[in-house]
Amino acid sequence: MLVADKISKTFHSGSVENRILKNISIKIDTGQFICVVGRSGSGKSTFLNILSTLLKPDKGSVVFEGQDITTLPENKINSLRQRDFAIIFQFHHLMPYLTVTENVLLPYMNKLMPVPKSVIRRAEECIDRVGLGARRNMLPGRLSGGEQQRVAVGRALVKSPEILFADEPTGNLDKKTGDEIISLMKNLNNEGLTIIMVTHELSYISCADRVVVIEDGIIKEVSADSCY
Amino acid sequence: MNIFTIPVRNLRRKILRTALMLVIFTIGVLSMVAINNVSRVVGDSFEKKMNQFGANILVYPKADTLKISYGGFDLGSLAYDIKYLHESRVVSSINNIELKKNIGAVAPKLVLVKRLLGQSVVMVGVNWQEELKIKNYWGIKGKLPEKPDDILIGSGIAEYFKIDNNSVVEIESILYEVTGVLEETGSDDDSVIFMDIRHLQSISGMSDLVNFVEVSALCSGCPIEDIVEQISGKLPDTDIRALQNVVKQRMSAKGFVEKLAGTVSLVIMLTASCMIGLFMFTSVNERKKEIGVLRSMGYSRLNVFNIFCFEALLIGVIAGVLGYFSGFFVSFKVLEILKLGEDIVIHFRFTRFVTTFLLVTLISVAASVIPALKAARVDPSEALVML
């Protein structure tokens, strides 16, 4: 369970103050699929970055598994990012010089010791899962945009995270490919993965358990209909 | 697959840039190795040549009285209390010291006063072969003596007695042919007569006796004090004096060449390392998004720092090996072109190779420390704002 309590965030640009989030609170249960929507510049991505530890709030707390992750030391945040949280960005941001398998294994490649064989096997399973089994030795440059985003999903899945954060994962894809990615994410959610997704595509909100609208720095929650 | 896969693959991806970086650094190492090798050979060659301009160690009989000397020769002992050394013992002792490879020439001298045309003149008996090694600056009008009764006279003697080469002079009832006249040297040599030491010993009934021995020592790689100490150990009954000013003069000349080479090498390596630093800075700026993604996946600052340092380390390792061996090859070619060091061989020394290799690698890594620190300080949230 992830609980955000009275989060505030203000950005400063010279003497101009831009208060993006104003005392936002939310409780996300395990296994939920949350869609965060809102106008451009409303603070959706800031909200997601705070929940996923990439950004610290000015005020408030984010509690995950009983501890406030906004006050954790850097080494604990690193292990949280490595073990429990996974993030997918609008642009896949794969390493162009690594193969599909290596990109998926990237979260485990920060050690001097070689990646264990069991992890490599799991990575191959993830690649199969996202439908790229035949392309595991290819470099990202030879894949289509949708396939590259699938690799990014595979990279997020390999560590079996508790929560998957997705910041407009379909924003750079055509409708058909975007649908495929959302469908893949919904399947993962059906298997128990908690997903918090920022999107501006209102057509995808129907697949969410909850829809959160951020407007003028505060949250308004709306209900979601059935999904694909 | 581990953390090193990332920098290795990145270097392979940007093959042109990697190659350019490698070329720059390899040229830096090559220049450093070549300059140092050439300067060492030139320095040794220079020192050898300098050593031909006189001795730097004097060996003479031990005297208990205060010495009165000039030009390195003990006048007191010659005038009042003449003591002699045994030539064969002294020469063989000097040639058998531990640092014998540093002994360039051992030139014994017997100095006697004889009468020529009613005047006293100084006769110096020399071993021609050894003498010429330390006095190859001599200019001779005529030729060197070949027979025992041939003599070489100083310019002052020639002028005073109006003697020219090919003249025949009588010294204490013995006729000598003047085969050559020394061009003016500005030293004591101008006012003496040189002849074969064996002949002088023989006619004076002083077989195997000499007044002093001049030694020319090559001082590279060892202080002259060590050579003096070793000769003293072999010849405890002699006084040995190192002409420090001569040695220092020669060593400072050689030192200048080495310092110049060192400075040029340093400048080259500094320039090369600045280039590496610049490349790494560019790389960090270009890869900020990549760093942000890595940090969002749980890579620590140390992990990011290591990735960039390892890239520089790889460049350093490859450039170190390539640069050392190509520098070795280039130094041969340069010496060949300069026609230097014909008798000096550059040996491959493993320890020198390892030292150079480690130094180059260290410089390469050191040059990338600041860019790598910059990379490690990249805030993932800031980097991801750019996404």
Side-chain angles (χ1 to χ4, degrees), chain B residues 326-344:
Chain B
S326 48
F328 217 71
F329 173 76
V330 167
S331 36
F332 278 112
K333 285 284 158 200
V334 170
L335 289 172
E336 210 175 283
I337 292 163
L338 295 177
K339 298 191 189 321
L340 274 170
E342 300 87 348
D343 53 341
I344 301 169

Side-chain angles (χ1 to χ4, degrees), chain A residues 2 4 7-11 20-21 43-62 69-70 85 165, chain B residues 381:
Chain A
L2 187 72
I7 295 170
S8 293
K9 185 74 186 173
T10 303
F11 288 109
I20 299 287
L21 302 176
K44 317 184 282 292
S45 293
T46 304
F47 178 59
L48 193 83
N49 286 344
I50 288 173
L51 294 185
S52 63
T53 74
L54 292 180
L55 205 58
K56 280 191 191 297
D58 298 333
K59 282 184 198 163
S61 63
V62 179
I69 58 176
T70 62
F85 291 178
F165 298 92
Chain B
S381 63

Side-chain angles (χ1 to χ4, degrees), chain A residues 53 56 64 67-77 80:
Chain A
T53 74
K56 280 191 191 297
F64 174 71
Q67 54 184 348
D68 182 0
I69 58 176
T70 62
T71 56
L72 284 178
E74 195 166 299
N75 61 330
K76 298 260 182 186
I77 289 179
L80 198 68

